[in-house]
Amino acid sequence: MVRMSHLSAITVAAFLLAACADKAATPATSAAEPAPAAAPAATPAMAAVPADDNLNATLWMQHSVEYAGTTQTAFSLAKIRLNEALKDKVWTAAPAEQTGKFAELPPAIICDVDETLLDNSAYQAWNITAGTSFSNETWSKFVQAGISKAVPGAVEFANYAAAKGITVFYVSNRTEDGEQATRDNMAKLAFPMGGNVDTFLMQKEKEDWTSKKGTRRAVVAQNYRILLLLGDNFGDFVDAYKGTEAERQQVYAANATHWGHDWIMLPNPSYGSFEAVPYKFDYGATPDAMRDAKRKALTSWDGQ
């Protein structure tokens, strides 16, 4: 056995260490090693989704538990008020129209139809997806289709009232030519139909039955004590609904004792007189002009 010198041993050791280091620095190749990922294939640009002012409102009405919870709350309150009204012979929800001795008249309630009892959000959804807006022609077709659903809680409430001997009147701004389709739609949903009493009072059915509902409330008040008014729009309660914002606020405040007492308001963020106030009920204005007026009406944080 040949002994290496101390210097030779050191030299060999250094050589071996260098060889190991070179081997560690060289990555091992293996058949299992994944190949480099291929570059993603080019995809066409996503088409722009058309904007629509009514999208969130319609989505909320069709799919949110918050909407259903709100309407159910309103109808639950209406039941409570109804029972109170039956016991109070001087109670009337229509003081402007209910004159003379009405205490012993049979009880009735007046309900608006659209977005108070009938949910027409399918029509709003069609306008959104078709890129169109309200027109008398398409609205008439929708009414004739008779596919409106019931607002959550509406059928139960209307039948609760009818079971107590209360006549339920439907004072609607659907026009006379849509009355039969409306009757059929509501009968299918099991709303009370009024028996031998004509409980459907449609706009234009008589010459003075305009979009203002006071004349129709007066007709009901001749023979019934009106216990409650239910609606989703200011015009379902008062005729002075087309004023400026300040004027509407004044009328609202003047009737403060009615809200939640004998006037029950249902939610409708989709349409109504509220949106027309900024553009002064000028329905002939362009959509851009309407939108501009509504944007300018907003009270905004300054971002600071």
Side-chain angles (χ1 to χ4, degrees), residues 149-231:
K149 297 180 179 180
V151 169
V155 174
E156 181 190 359
F157 168 74
N159 283 291
Y160 178 87
K164 290 180 173 291
I166 298 167
T167 303
V168 182
F169 282 92
Y170 307 110
V171 177
S172 173
N173 276 347
R174 292 186 173 198
T175 50
E176 183 183 7
D177 57 1
E179 179 174 345
Q180 190 57 54
T182 303
R183 285 176 176 270
D184 294 343
N185 194 165
M186 295 184 73
K188 182 172 60 177
L189 294 169
F191 282 99
M193 290 290 103
N196 60 356
V197 177
D198 180 6
T199 54
F200 286 77
L201 282 60
M202 319 300 282
Q203 183 187 175
K204 298 181 180 180
E205 192 173 335
K206 294 186 178 180
E207 187 176 353
D208 63 343
W209 289 11
T210 65
S211 60
K212 293 182 178 181
K213 297 183 173 182
T215 53
R216 284 174 278 171
R217 287 193 294 269
V219 168
V220 177
Q222 290 174 5
N223 300 302
Y224 296 86
R225 179 164 70 95
I226 301 171
L227 307 185
L228 297 179
L229 302 181
L230 288 88

Side-chain angles (χ1 to χ4, degrees), residues 61 67 70-75 77-78 93 109-118 120 151-152 154 157 168-173 211 213 217 226-238 241 252 258-269 271-274:
M61 293 175 73
Y67 173 66
T70 302
T71 61
Q72 292 278 12
T73 299
F75 287 121
L77 174 60
I109 61 174
I110 293 178
C111 301
D112 169 61
V113 173
D114 296 315
E115 274 53 70
T116 298
L117 302 179
L118 289 185
N120 306 299
V151 169
F157 168 74
V168 182
F169 282 92
Y170 307 110
V171 177
S172 173
N173 276 347
S211 60
K213 297 183 173 182
R217 287 193 294 269
I226 301 171
L227 307 185
L228 297 179
L229 302 181
L230 288 88
D232 67 293
N233 188 30
F234 202 22
D236 296 327
F237 305 92
V238 300
Y241 65 92
Y252 172 83
H258 291 292
W259 302 112
H261 183 259
D262 48 21
W263 292 1
I264 307 297
M265 181 73 80
L266 277 293
N268 179 7
Y271 66 89
S273 57
F274 77 93

